[in-house]
Amino acid sequence: MRNKITKCLFPAAGYGTRFLPATKATPKEMLPILTKPLIQYGVEEALEAEIHTMAIVTGRGKRAIEDHFDISYELEHQIKGTSKEHYLTEIRDVITQCTFSYTRQIEMKGLGHAILSGETLIGDEPFAVVLADDLCTHLPDEHSSGVLAQMVELYNLYKCSIVAIEEVPEHKTDKYGIVAGDLMEGHDDLYRVDQMVEKPDPKDAPSNLAIIGRYILTPDIFDILRETKAGKGQEIQITDALMEQARQGKVLAYRFKGRRFDCGSVDGFVEATNYFYELSK
Ligand code: G1P
């Protein structure tokens, strides 16, 4: 088994119902914050963590994602040598630095199932997972790295699965995977996880530490996922599979440095738009 994180998996098969009608014929991952689609932010975050192989789990109606990460010769031809050429610089950079591979999730059976569908692209090595509708950024006044880069650094030290977490208001625990555990010695932001529950009622939640859409997973997760029964919402949950690893003391939860926008909700999407707009001025 290779022990370095070289691949990032993007589960991108979901319907994006909360953004209908915009997502009727456009993948939700292609909705832009300013001029850049959500998934491109995720790919750039992976690149910053020195990950160059992007593995994308798509579904029906998601072909725009493949086209986005490919050269459009017609467009290149049209704007070559004009004042508009710089609009393509960023995406060209991404395309030249990465390889992309795709597989389709045929049935929607939950995030755990989507990740298991990606096994064919990942193989027997540890990998990162980005849920593109959680948009993460480092604070502008900080010279810190992106969330995934921070997590890869931790992986290189501890060699086990890691989830990114943040505190959420107690009444919102039913929107997230919730973890609990003890702080690791010498750390104030890293926990050894011993409990993980998918979207618990606030009264049953073991804490208010919520998983956000960034994971580092060791490849034994695939065998565990194969055995994981449908859980919350009758879906195969990655949180339940990770609990299996947590029982063996093999999951860390990292309270990351940076800011996360929940772009799966309209409120978070608008918040991110305003934030990046202010930043761009
Ligand atoms: C998924 C996970 C959940 C996690 C969340 C982060 O839920 O199942 O554990 O907290 O992503 O965004 P979803 O938002 O897809 O319902």
Side-chain angles (χ1 to χ4, degrees), residues 111 131 134 176-177 198-199 211-213 215 237 239 260:
L111 180 57
L131 308 185
D134 273 335
Y176 298 93
E198 180 67 6
K199 302 189 176 126
I211 303 172
I212 61 122
Y215 304 77
Q237 299 293 349
T239 308
R260 165 248 177 195

